[in-house]
Amino acid sequence: MNCLSRRLILKPPFHSNPTLNFPSVNVSFYSKPISIHQKRKLSANTAITSLIHHPLSGVEEDLVGYVFGKKKATEVAHLIWKRVIQNGDTVIDATCGNGYDTLAMLKMVADKSGRGRVYGIDIQGDALKSTASLLDESVTLKEKELVKLFSICHSRMEEIVPENSPVRLVAFNLGYLPGGDKRITTVSETTQLALEAAKKILIPGGLISLVVYVGHPGGMEELETVEAFASGLSVSNWICCKFQMLNRPLAPALVLLFKREVAETQ
Ligand SMILES: C[S@@+](CC[C@H](N)C(=O)[O-])C[C@H]1O[C@@H](n2cnc3c(N)ncnc32)[C@H](O)[C@@H]1O
C-alpha cells in the first residue's frame, strides 16, 4: 500500500502551559483508497487524539478531588479555564461578585504585549467596587488596565465587547454576592438571555463555564434553565456536560459548554 507516515508533535492551540509534554502521534497520508478496517483504525486514532487534546484531559485528578469534596467547583473551573485560555485572549466574567474569578482570568490572559482583555460584569456597584479593590491589592496597574468593568446585566454582554474580539471564555458564577444582599441573585430569565448572547460571541474552541449554586430560592430553577439551554445545543458543534453531587444536594454544580474547534460530521 502506498502510505506516507509522519510523526508529528501536536501542540493544541488552546494550551498555553509550556511545561506540559505533548504526546506525539503518527499521522498517515494515503494515496490509495483505504479499506474499511483501515478507516476504522484511523478514525479511532483521530478520536483518541482529540480526547488527549481536550481541555478536560489533564484535570482528571482535580475532578476526583471535586467528587471527594477536596476541590471546590470553582477551583476545578479555574483549572479547566487554564487549559482553554491563551495569553492575549478576550474573556468575560459575567458575574464579577468579589472578583476572584476576574482575577484568575486576568492572570491567564495577561501577557507583555498588553493584548489580553477581561470584561467584567455585575449588576451591583458594590460587587464591582469589591472586584476593583481585589485587583488593586493583587496586580500591577498595567495588568489592571486589561480589565474593563461594567455595571450592567450580563444579558447585554454583546454591547460591551468590541465586534472583532474573539471571546474564548464566558464564565458565570450564579447566585448571590457572598457577604452581600442575599435577595439579589441571578435569575433564570436573564441567565437564559446571557447564555444566548454568550453562544453568539464565543469563538470555536471556546468555553461557556457555569458554577450554579442551587441552595437559594430560585437556584434549582436556574440550574434547570441552564440544563435546558445546554441540552438544546447541537452535538456537532458543542460538547456539554455537568458535574453534580447526587447526595450533596446543596453543593454547586459545574456546567461546561465547549464549542468545538471544528464541527463534527455525524
Ligand atoms: C455568586 S456571585 C459571583 C461571585 C464571583 N464570581 C466571585 O468570584 O466572587 C454572583 C454575582 O452575580 C451578580 N448578578 C446577579 N444578577 C446579575 C445579572 N443579571 N447580570 C450580572 N451580574 C449579576 C450578583 O450581583 C453577584 O455579585
Side-chain angles (χ1 to χ4, degrees):
M1 183 181 52
N2 240 341
C3 163
L4 294 174
S5 235
R6 271 211 254 153
R7 195 158 184 83
L8 295 181
I9 307 292
L10 292 183
K11 284 198 174 192
F14 52 74
H15 223 299
S16 55
N17 187 342
T19 59
L20 287 175
N21 291 322
F22 296 99
S24 61
V25 291
N26 283 322
V27 179
S28 301
F29 302 93
Y30 294 89
S31 57
K32 259 200 214 167
I34 57 173
S35 72
I36 187 75
H37 171 69
Q38 288 160 338
K39 255 190 201 161
R40 278 202 196 117
K41 212 166 155 189
L42 258 184
S43 81
N45 281 345
T46 314
I48 288 166
T49 305
S50 66
L51 283 181
I52 289 168
H53 296 297
H54 193 271
L56 275 179
S57 74
V59 293
E60 295 87 349
E61 271 184 36
D62 305 297
L63 284 168
V64 171
Y66 164 78
V67 168
F68 286 96
K70 303 275 180 236
K71 276 239 160 24
K72 291 197 256 171
T74 46
E75 286 178 85
V76 178
H78 289 189
L79 291 162
I80 294 168
W81 301 351
K82 226 181 223 175
R83 301 182 69 80
V84 174
I85 295 176
Q86 298 167 27
N87 286 160
D89 272 349
T90 298
V91 297
I92 300 179
D93 183 351
T95 50
C96 280
N98 291 318
Y100 297 108
D101 293 328
T102 314
L103 175 61
M105 285 180 202
L106 175 58
K107 293 283 179 195
M108 293 176 207
V109 300
D111 68 2
K112 287 195 186 96
S113 72
R115 283 174 308 134
R117 286 286 175 283
V118 182
Y119 291 90
I121 304 173
D122 204 293
I123 43 163
Q124 294 192 70
D126 280 352
L128 294 178
K129 269 189 209 149
S130 181
T131 295
S133 78
L134 179 69
L135 295 176
D136 285 338
E137 284 166 20
S138 321
V139 300
T140 64
L141 208 59
K142 218 164 175 219
E143 283 175 317
K144 198 186 168 199
E145 280 168 8
L146 304 179
V147 180
K148 311 287 170 206
L149 297 177
F150 295 87
S151 180
I152 56 167
C153 173
H154 42 215
S155 58
R156 295 173 54 198
M157 67 177 75
E158 284 170 282
E159 295 172 28
I160 57 166
V161 181
E163 236 169 60
N164 52 358
S165 306
V167 176
R168 207 183 297 273
L169 171 73
V170 182
F172 296 82
N173 193 327
L174 302 175
Y176 56 81
L177 175 66
D181 185 341
K182 291 188 178 172
R183 291 166 303 178
I184 306 174
T185 69
T186 52
V187 291
S188 295
E189 293 76 22
T190 40
T191 300
Q192 163 88 31
L193 293 172
L195 283 170
E196 278 159 18
K199 180 187 163 191
K200 277 193 224 155
I201 57 180
L202 199 75
I203 55 165
L207 167 68
I208 302 175
S209 160
L210 301 110
V211 174
V212 189
Y213 293 86
V214 288
H216 62 92
M220 200 52 97
E221 183 200 326
E222 201 172 18
L223 178 59
E224 283 163 15
T225 300
V226 170
E227 286 179 17
F229 175 84
S231 310
L233 295 174
S234 77
V235 178
S236 48
N237 288 302
W238 294 85
I239 297 170
C240 303
C241 62
K242 174 183 74 162
F243 297 94
Q244 187 178 26
M245 299 309 295
L246 294 173
N247 60 350
R248 286 198 287 132
L250 299 186
L254 175 60
V255 179
L256 300 165
L257 316 179
F258 295 97
K259 186 167 180 177
R260 291 183 197 270
E261 197 98 44
V262 180
E264 194 170 76
T265 45
Q266 297 303 299

